[in-house]
């Protein structure tokens, strides 16, 4: 009994000590019709050795560019333990300083939110959609302290809270520190839910939840969850096991409405998926792609994580060299899983792979910049906001697409040369760096490939050529092994590279791509094409008709208007570089038994 009492006293003292350190938030929505939320933050035991700095985030987990969340905050005030107002300074737009600190400090403020996606926040009569960095201030230097948050929505009787935060009861939710708190989105609505249990190879059972805020009935949500089960099962087969979700639960937080911004954003034990359709019903298959992509992130990027993203910096954007794998390989598998689960046809997946190959073969960004360089550009490209025009079309190929094309090439090379698969590689990475949660570097990725293939030379050359450099694999030869024929879409046809949009009866050029006839001829964005080969041009169709009369290598005269000045140039057509990927049997060719066996092993279900 004595030992029991001693243990109880120690536990009680620890619980009390933790409570003395917890930073607690309270949230209410008295003016939700005008998209406002009222926030209070109480910080106990504030260090008195220095002024207290409280700030708002400029970045958000899953995003790679900065976002100025502080712009939607106002009426910020500070109070001491007795409720007396304290003076507040504002040395920066998203930073506040309380010079007189001692004991407990309370901060209150109003936040405006009217943008429903995976990055920002939105409040209205229908729901409260909270991305934590867009809503909650945090004291600088106290990141290790636990957080609790409590919500008050008495006027919305049917609202329910859905979040990966740990429920403590009485409407209070808990995070062990700032990093986990900021990574925990919250959806409060009259949502519908469907849940199912999934057992891992070790026998551990965890629960997956679909929380749907949409204009659908419960049967639709239940049936959609049944589709998601297949996606989850195929992904589990790739990795060999589910991640160990904190608290044993994973949440799909799904918001559906045509007025929403749309997005998909991964988090450690949940994902926010916002889709711009009237409802789930009738759109199930089209909506699945985002779910497949985001759930794959539960392994790849949430636990199998680049060292460049650790720890996540909320004051600026983390620049990362590895997004071609973190996002690009996820993009590849997001589509492949849907084919394996039976939600995409062979023609569907062929078009997807064709898009990847076209992007890395024909885009200036992929020709002149490596996957690593594309990854670094994310600090500007990932939903970044700028008012000035950029040259992005010539210097950047999305690390999603670029990385997915690298994944496609590596998967096929492993299958052809080593009787291995990309699934094997992902499992090896998971074992070394994901399950162990040891942040990796690019040399670590190369080392695992060398060990898996037992060929360090192959691994070194693959990374040298296709990761650090701009070389491209022979996709035509690789894909033919699966009976997929890669060929010119318009062989022998003339191509100008001019992309025209019809505007007020004028054919106006979009920005031109480096290396195209249009670029070489000096055509630039917003030039208005007046004549082509002597023919008056007033629409994109007019120019297409002129192009159709010519062959690659022929030259025509272009007359165009640039900012009020008429100019003339010469344009020499080339052969259309666009590619198409078609199952060989659809071209009149023969799908051999070897091709079919290769294709089936690659594209059919991996569940054994």
């Amino acid at each position: 009994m004595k030992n029991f009492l001693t243990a109880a006293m120690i536990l009680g003292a620890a619980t009390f000590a933790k409570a003395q350190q917890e930073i607690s938030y309270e949230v209410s929505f008295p003016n939700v019709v005008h998209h406002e939320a009222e926030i209070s933050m109480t910080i106990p035991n504030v260090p008195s050795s220095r002024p207290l700095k409280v700030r708002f985030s400029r970045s958000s987990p899953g995003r790679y560019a900065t976002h100025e969340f502080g712009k939607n905050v106002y009426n910020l005030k500070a109070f001491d333990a007795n409720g007396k107002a304290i003076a507040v300074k504002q040395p920066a737009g998203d930073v506040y300083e309380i010079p007189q600190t001692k004991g407990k400090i309370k901060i209150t403020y109003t936040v405006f939110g009217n943008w429903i996606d995976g990055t920002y926040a939105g409040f209205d009569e229908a729901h409260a959609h909270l991305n934590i960095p867009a809503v909650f201030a945090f004291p600088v230097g106290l990141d290790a302290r636990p957080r609790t948050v409590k919500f008050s929505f008495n006027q919305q009787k049917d609202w329910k809270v859905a979040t990966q935060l740990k429920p403590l009861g009485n409407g209070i939710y808990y995070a062990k520190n700032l990093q986990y708190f900021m990574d925990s989105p919250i959806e409060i609505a009259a949502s519908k839910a469907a849940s199912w249990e999934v057992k891992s190879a070790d026998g551990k059972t965890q629960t997956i939840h679909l929380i749907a805020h949409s204009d659908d009935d419960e049967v639709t949500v239940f049936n959609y969850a049944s589709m998601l089960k297949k996606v989850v099962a195929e992904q589990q087969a790739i990795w060999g096991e589910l991640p160990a979700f904190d608290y044993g639960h994973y949440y799909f937080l799904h918001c559906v409405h045509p007025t929403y911004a749309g997005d998909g954003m991964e988090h450690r034990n949940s994902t926010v998926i916002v889709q711009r359709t009237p409802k789930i019903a009738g759109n199930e298959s089209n909506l699945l792609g985002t779910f497949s992509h985001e759930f794959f992130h539960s392994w790849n990027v949430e636990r199998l994580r680049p060292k460049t993203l650790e720890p996540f910096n909320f004051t600026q954007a983390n620049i990362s060299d590895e997004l071609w794998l973190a996002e690009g390989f996820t993009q590849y598998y997001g589509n492949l899983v849907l084919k394996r689960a039976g939600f995409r046809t062979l023609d569907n997946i062929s078009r997807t792979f064709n898009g990847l190959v076209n992007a890395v073969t024909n885009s200036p960004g992929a020709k002149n910049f490596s996957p690593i360089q594309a990854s670094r550009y994310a600090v500007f490209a990932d939903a970044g906001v700028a008012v000035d025009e950029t040259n992005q079309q010539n210097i950047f190929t999305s690390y999603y697409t670029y990385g997915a094309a690298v994944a496609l090439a590596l998967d096929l090379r492993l299958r052809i040369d080593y009787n291995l698969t990309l699934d094997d590689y992902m499992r090896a990475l998971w074992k070394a760096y994901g399950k162990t949660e040891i942040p990796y570097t690019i040399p670590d990725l190369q080392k695992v490939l060398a060990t898996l293939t037992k060929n360090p030379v192959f691994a070194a050359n693959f990374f040298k050529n296709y990761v650090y450099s701009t070389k491209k694999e022979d996709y035509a030869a690789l894909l033919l092994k699966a009976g997929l024929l890669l060929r010119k879409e318009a062989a022998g046809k003339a191509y100008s590279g001019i992309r025209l949009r019809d505007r007020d009866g004028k054919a106006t050029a979009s920005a031109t791509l480096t290396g195209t006839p249009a670029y070489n001829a000096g055509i630039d964005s917003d030039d208005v094409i007046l004549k082509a080969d002597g023919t008056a041009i007033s629409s994109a169709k007019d120019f297409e008709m002129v192009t159709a009369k010519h062959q690659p290598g022929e030259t025509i005269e272009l007359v165009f208007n640039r900012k009020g000045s008429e100019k003339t140039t010469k344009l020499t057509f080339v052969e259309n570089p666009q590619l198409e990927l078609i199952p060989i049997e659809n071209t009149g060719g023969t799908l051999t038994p070897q091709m079919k066996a290769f294709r089936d092993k690659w594209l059919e279900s991996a569940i054994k």
Side-chain angles (χ1 to χ4, degrees):
M1 178 62 74
K2 183 178 180 180
N3 289 339
F4 174 80
L5 289 174
T6 300
M9 291 174 65
I10 294 173
L11 179 62
T15 302
F16 177 77
K18 187 174 77 169
Q20 290 299 299
Q21 296 297 313
E22 281 181 355
I23 297 168
S24 59
Y25 299 89
E26 293 187 7
V27 184
S28 61
F29 309 97
N31 193 23
V32 72
V33 68
H34 292 298
H35 316 293
E36 288 184 343
E38 299 298 327
I39 317 292
S40 73
M41 174 178 63
T42 301
I43 312 165
N45 294 324
V46 175
S48 57
S49 58
R50 62 184 185 277
L52 174 67
K53 281 190 177 180
V54 169
R55 68 162 300 132
F56 291 87
S57 180
R58 298 184 63 240
S59 59
S60 182
R63 284 262 88 102
Y64 308 111
T66 53
H67 301 271
E68 304 299 338
F69 297 121
K71 67 183 180 298
N72 284 326
V73 173
Y74 38 93
N75 297 333
L76 189 141
K77 300 174 184 177
F79 305 90
D80 64 17
N82 298 316
K84 182 180 178 181
I86 306 173
V88 178
K89 296 181 179 179
Q90 190 175 0
D94 45 24
V95 178
Y96 298 83
E97 187 174 283
I98 296 93
Q100 300 176 8
T101 59
K102 185 178 181 181
K104 183 171 69 174
I105 299 295
K106 183 176 182 179
I107 308 292
T108 65
Y109 58 91
T110 303
V111 61
F112 177 87
N114 192 26
W115 192 254
I116 312 298
D117 70 351
T119 306
Y120 295 95
F123 318 113
D124 55 37
E125 299 100 320
H127 68 153
H129 180 88
L130 294 89
N131 181 49
I132 302 297
V135 177
F136 292 94
F138 61 94
V140 176
L142 303 181
D143 294 5
R145 288 197 183 186
R147 264 71 174 169
T148 62
V149 57
K150 183 175 184 179
F151 298 96
S152 174
F153 41 87
N154 296 330
Q155 301 303 314
Q156 295 82 20
K157 301 294 185 182
D158 55 350
W159 281 11
K160 301 180 287 289
V161 177
T163 178
Q164 69 177 32
L165 292 169
K166 182 180 180 180
L168 298 181
N170 297 319
I172 300 173
Y173 297 83
Y174 170 85
K176 61 182 179 181
N177 54 33
L178 178 68
Q179 288 281 330
Y180 192 89
F181 182 60
M182 293 295 241
D183 191 42
S184 301
I186 302 166
E187 179 69 23
I188 312 176
S191 54
K192 299 175 180 68
S195 304
W196 70 97
E197 292 185 344
V198 182
K199 185 175 291 186
S200 286
D202 61 2
K204 183 178 180 181
T205 298
Q206 303 188 89
T207 306
I208 312 289
H209 306 269
L210 170 61
I211 310 297
H213 174 225
S214 66
D215 185 21
D216 290 285
D217 57 30
E218 292 182 357
V219 173
T220 297
V221 174
F222 177 84
N223 290 339
Y224 193 61
S226 297
M227 298 174 73
L228 292 181
K229 287 181 188 179
K230 295 181 180 180
V231 173
V232 170
E234 287 292 346
Q235 295 197 6
Q236 185 177 358
I238 291 167
W239 296 96
E241 62 182 340
L242 286 177
F245 298 124
D246 301 315
Y247 316 121
H249 295 268
Y250 183 89
Y251 299 86
F252 290 104
L253 304 179
H254 193 200
C255 287
V256 179
H257 198 275
T259 64
Y260 294 163
D263 204 0
M265 189 58 59
E266 75 277 2
H267 299 275
R268 183 172 172 84
N269 304 296
S270 63
T271 181
V272 171
I273 296 175
V274 179
Q275 293 174 312
R276 302 183 65 182
T277 59
K279 54 176 61 180
I280 297 171
N283 300 290
E284 289 89 346
S285 182
N286 292 336
L287 302 181
L288 277 176
T290 307
F291 282 83
S292 184
H293 180 101
E294 301 305 335
F295 190 67
F296 200 83
H297 273 316
S298 302
W299 294 269
N300 189 28
V301 90
E302 287 300 331
R303 290 163 178 84
L304 178 60
R305 194 161 176 82
K307 195 172 184 178
T308 48
L309 296 181
E310 286 293 316
F312 195 86
N313 190 338
F314 297 108
T315 66
Q316 63 185 43
N318 290 59
I319 192 165
S320 176
D321 292 349
E322 298 86 6
L323 298 185
W324 57 272
L325 186 134
E327 292 289 356
F329 277 42
T330 300
Q331 185 76 2
Y332 171 72
Y333 270 111
N335 290 298
L336 179 59
V337 163
L338 295 183
K339 173 64 179 72
R340 290 180 177 177
F343 297 119
R344 296 293 183 268
T345 65
L346 178 60
D347 286 342
N348 293 150
I349 200 69
S350 296
R351 285 193 293 272
T352 297
F353 293 155
N354 182 55
L356 301 180
V357 176
N358 262 309
V360 297
T361 302
N362 291 316
S363 69
K367 288 179 180 178
N368 300 310
F369 297 88
S370 71
I372 291 174
Q373 291 170 307
S375 298
R376 291 173 180 166
Y377 197 77
V379 296
F380 305 114
D382 184 34
V385 178
V387 296
D388 60 322
E389 186 173 341
T390 70
N391 197 29
Q392 186 170 310
Q393 72 278 355
N394 284 318
I395 64 173
F396 174 66
T397 296
S398 170
Y399 41 88
Y400 288 85
T401 306
Y402 211 153
V406 174
L408 172 63
L410 183 55
D411 198 357
L412 294 172
R413 283 291 303 275
L414 289 172
R415 291 172 184 274
I416 294 167
D417 296 343
Y418 296 97
N419 197 29
L420 293 165
T421 72
L422 195 66
D423 298 6
D424 296 317
Y425 181 53
M426 300 311 289
R427 282 193 291 270
L429 288 176
W430 173 252
K431 183 177 179 180
Y433 297 102
K435 191 171 183 178
T436 57
E437 298 202 44
I438 300 172
Y440 66 80
T441 63
I442 292 181
D444 293 328
L445 300 176
Q446 180 179 319
K447 181 177 68 175
V448 171
L449 184 60
T451 301
L452 178 68
T453 60
K454 300 177 183 172
N455 190 338
V457 174
F458 164 74
N461 285 336
F462 190 90
F463 274 78
K464 176 185 176 182
N465 292 330
Y466 310 121
V467 176
Y468 291 105
S469 186
T470 60
K471 288 186 178 180
K472 303 297 179 288
E473 272 280 14
D474 185 349
Y475 285 99
L478 294 175
L479 288 160
L480 191 58
K481 293 288 185 179
L484 299 175
L485 183 63
L486 185 67
R487 65 187 186 184
K488 288 285 182 70
E489 183 178 22
K493 301 295 185 181
Y495 172 78
S496 70
I498 295 180
R499 298 175 296 168
L500 296 175
R501 58 191 187 278
D502 296 336
R503 181 190 291 174
D504 300 327
K506 299 176 182 178
T508 305
S510 299
T512 52
L513 301 182
T514 305
T516 61
Y519 190 94
N520 295 338
I523 300 300
D524 200 18
S525 59
D526 293 329
D527 287 347
V528 177
I529 307 301
L530 303 176
K531 291 183 180 180
D533 199 29
T535 299
I537 303 297
S538 59
S539 68
K541 187 175 181 179
D542 291 342
F543 188 78
E544 290 171 5
M545 293 175 66
V546 171
T547 301
K549 296 177 182 178
H550 290 273
Q551 300 295 318
E554 294 181 352
T555 300
I556 64 170
E557 182 178 84
L558 286 180
V559 181
F560 63 98
N561 185 291
R562 177 176 293 164
K563 298 179 179 178
S565 298
E566 189 170 298
K567 297 178 179 290
T568 302
T569 187
K570 299 288 186 180
L571 182 145
T572 301
F573 292 106
V574 298
E575 184 181 40
N576 194 318
Q578 291 299 303
L579 302 169
E580 62 179 1
L581 184 64
I582 303 176
I584 194 167
E585 61 270 32
N586 294 352
T587 69
T590 300
L591 178 68
T592 67
Q594 293 83 1
M595 288 175 176
K596 185 177 187 308
F598 186 100
R599 182 193 291 176
D600 289 348
K601 187 176 179 182
W602 175 29
L603 301 180
E604 298 307 316
S605 176
I607 299 174
K608 295 180 175 62

